[in-house]
């Protein structure tokens, strides 16, 4: 019994991270949203989970997750790129099974071996590694990319399957990669603080036998505080998930497109002070 307890503690501490399913971003990890204002509820799915992604007792980003489609709706973070290696270890979120489970972001086999949890239980409300095996023309596409973070800890925190969607491999390695690595560098010149929300529009197709939705579009909105914070600028990108092309558009235009794609109330990604033109 003592050995099992020690193994559980060891698993919680060593398997790379912590995250929490919370009731409110505003109350738990508001710092990743411009003026502490998350996107409005138009994007919210039928069965949402709000996750404050934490590693080594520090929050690194926030994710709104769709339990039914098993993909993130969006991830929000601060753009702080730095040098470092790309992590390779993927994790899942135990608390998507229920609040009684550990808040530690863990590898699947740790949950299976030390917490008496089956893969079926883990996979009920989230994607697991086997869902992304043997893909054709698709790969695991980060919403919040590891390269937009400054150190190994923050990069590691992005390697959770709650931050991943099935993304067209040509887009992921082509125009979307160019957005992440080139466009963002150019557009953020002069920015003191850069708030980013990256999302995926649910599509009509699925992978893994209908378990995981393949998004129809990927998008990103950016709100930047210049120098003193008094001056603001914003921009956005959107891409269809079956074409290797990314469109750079004003933030307001992205919100209009998302409003049409979601078919609900007008989408608002940031506080109203962020410029839309």
């Amino acid at each position: 019994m003592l050995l099992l307890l020690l193994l559980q503690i060891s698993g919680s501490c060593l398997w790379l991270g912590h995250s929490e399913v919370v009731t409110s971003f505003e109350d738990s990890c508001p710092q990743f949203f411009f003026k502490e204002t998350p996107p409005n509820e138009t994007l919210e799915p039928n069965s949402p989970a709000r996750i404050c992604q934490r590693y080594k007792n520090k929050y690194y980003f926030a994710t709104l997750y769709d339990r039914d489609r098993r993909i993130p709706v969006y991830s929000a973070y601060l753009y702080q790129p730095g040098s470092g290696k790309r992590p390779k270890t993927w994790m899942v979120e135990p608390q998507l099974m229920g609040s009684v489970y550990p808040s530690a972001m863990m590898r699947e086999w740790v949950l299976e071996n030390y917490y008496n949890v089956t893969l079926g239980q883990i996979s009920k409300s989230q994607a697991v590694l086997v869902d992304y095996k043997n893909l054709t023309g698709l790969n695991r596409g980060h919403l919040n990319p590891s390269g937009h973070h400054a150190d190994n800890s923050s990069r590691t925190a992005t390697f959770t399957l709650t931050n991943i969607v099935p993304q067209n491999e040509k887009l992921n390695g082509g125009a979307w990669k160019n957005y992440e690595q080139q466009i963002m560098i150019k557009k953020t010149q002069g920015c003191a603080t850069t708030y980013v929300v990256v999302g995926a529009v649910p599509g009509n197709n699925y992978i893994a036998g209908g378990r995981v939705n393949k998004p129809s579009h990927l998008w990103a909105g950016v709100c930047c505080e210049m120098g003193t914070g008094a001056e603001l600028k914003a921009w956005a990108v959107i891409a269809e998930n079956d074409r290797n092309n990314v469109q750079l558009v004003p933030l307001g235009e992205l919100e209009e497109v998302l409003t049409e794609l979601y078919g609900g109330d007008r989408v608002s990604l940031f506080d109203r002070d962020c410029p839309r033109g």
Side-chain angles (χ1 to χ4, degrees), residues 234-250:
W235 62 91
V237 295
I238 188 166
E240 296 179 42
N241 197 22
D242 58 1
R243 298 179 59 202
N244 184 20
N245 182 57
V246 171
Q247 290 180 275
L248 180 64
V249 298

Side-chain angles (χ1 to χ4, degrees), residues 8 11-13 15-22 49-54 65 67 90-128 157 159-163:
Q8 290 177 333
S12 296
C13 294
W15 292 107
L16 296 181
H18 300 271
S19 55
E20 295 173 311
V21 175
V22 301
R50 291 169 177 81
I51 305 171
C52 291
Q53 308 278 13
R54 189 176 71 197
Y65 194 75
R67 298 172 186 263
W90 292 95
M91 292 163 288
V92 293
E93 173 51 62
Q95 288 199 339
L96 285 176
M97 294 183 291
S99 60
V100 298
Y101 291 96
S103 63
M105 187 192 303
M106 293 182 181
R107 294 171 70 176
E108 293 170 12
W109 71 266
V110 175
L111 281 170
E112 292 178 280
N113 285 280
Y114 300 133
Y115 289 88
N116 197 30
V117 171
T118 67
L119 186 60
Q121 288 175 284
I122 299 170
S123 64
K124 185 176 180 180
S125 295
Q126 64 188 301
V128 291
F159 270 70
T160 164
L161 293 174
T162 56
N163 181 44

Side-chain angles (χ1 to χ4, degrees), residues 152-163:
N152 288 336
S153 293
S154 54
R155 286 171 179 249
T156 298
T158 68
F159 270 70
T160 164
L161 293 174
T162 56
N163 181 44

Side-chain angles (χ1 to χ4, degrees), residues 4 21 34 55 69 74 77 90 98 102 113 118 127 150 180 184 187 194 201 224 232 235 243 255 263 267:
L4 178 59
V21 175
F34 174 63
Y55 176 62
R69 297 185 178 95
Y74 63 73
Y77 61 96
W90 292 95
N113 285 280
T118 67
E180 291 179 339
M184 281 294 287
K187 296 290 288 184
T194 304
V201 180
C224 154
L232 301 168
W235 62 91
R243 298 179 59 202
E255 291 177 331
V267 170

Side-chain angles (χ1 to χ4, degrees), residues 108 119 123 127-134 161 208 211:
E108 293 170 12
L119 186 60
S123 64
V128 291
L129 277 171
V130 70
D131 292 326
Y132 285 89
K133 297 288 187 182
N134 302 317
L161 293 174
R211 282 183 33 81

